[in-house]
Amino acid sequence: MSDTQKDPLRVLFCIGVTQNFFDLPESDIGAVWKGYGEMMSAMNAMPGVTILGTMDDDRTMVGSSASWPWTVYIMADVVDLDTVVAACNLFRTVKVGEFRLWKYGKIEARVGRALIIQGG
């Protein structure tokens, strides 16, 4: 990086599926999954966001996630804090029927920096 460029923020987006999702009738679940897909596609397309990897914990963590352990994790390099906030805001803007995605899930961002492993 040049002296004028800052290192990106290393961000772990932690996503939890809430009880509202599990209370839905089976016929309504597909619309929520579509909303999650829209949110993740929008995050991936955001300028200044480089997704490094994802992890879905749904095989060994069953049920709603009010906090850790989360259901889904997205690790990304993000240009600045405003962009992190905009990515989290997707839960407020993505529509699922007459509701917003935040009715069915939550997101928290852990913001840090890349860890450089010495001697490797």
Side-chain angles (χ1 to χ4, degrees):
M1 299 237 138
S2 74
D3 290 337
T4 59
Q5 289 181 311
K6 292 183 181 180
D7 288 336
L9 302 171
R10 181 63 48 95
V11 181
L12 181 64
F13 294 98
C14 305
I15 298 170
V17 178
T18 62
Q19 188 60 45
N20 286 335
F21 171 79
F22 293 99
D23 292 340
L24 287 171
E26 190 172 342
S27 60
D28 293 345
I29 289 174
V32 177
W33 286 135
K34 183 178 175 190
Y36 273 104
E38 181 182 333
M39 177 275 301
M40 292 178 75
S41 293
M43 185 185 292
N44 189 49
M46 291 178 77
V49 175
T50 302
I51 293 180
L52 304 173
T54 60
M55 188 181 95
D56 189 345
D57 199 14
D58 69 334
R59 290 187 174 182
T60 58
M61 190 287 187
V62 180
S64 63
S65 302
S67 65
W68 185 90
W70 299 98
T71 311
V72 175
Y73 302 86
I74 300 172
M75 175 77 68
D77 280 343
V78 182
V79 68
D80 57 29
L81 189 57
D82 288 340
T83 305
V84 174
V85 171
C88 290
N89 197 53
L90 291 169
F91 271 73
R92 293 183 180 101
T93 59
V94 170
K95 297 276 292 207
V96 177
E98 64 183 89
F99 300 106
R100 307 290 176 174
L101 187 57
W102 67 3
K103 179 176 176 84
Y104 305 105
K106 61 183 287 177
I107 187 168
E108 291 186 13
R110 303 272 103 21
V111 179
R113 58 188 174 94
L115 176 62
I116 306 302
I117 299 173
Q118 302 295 320

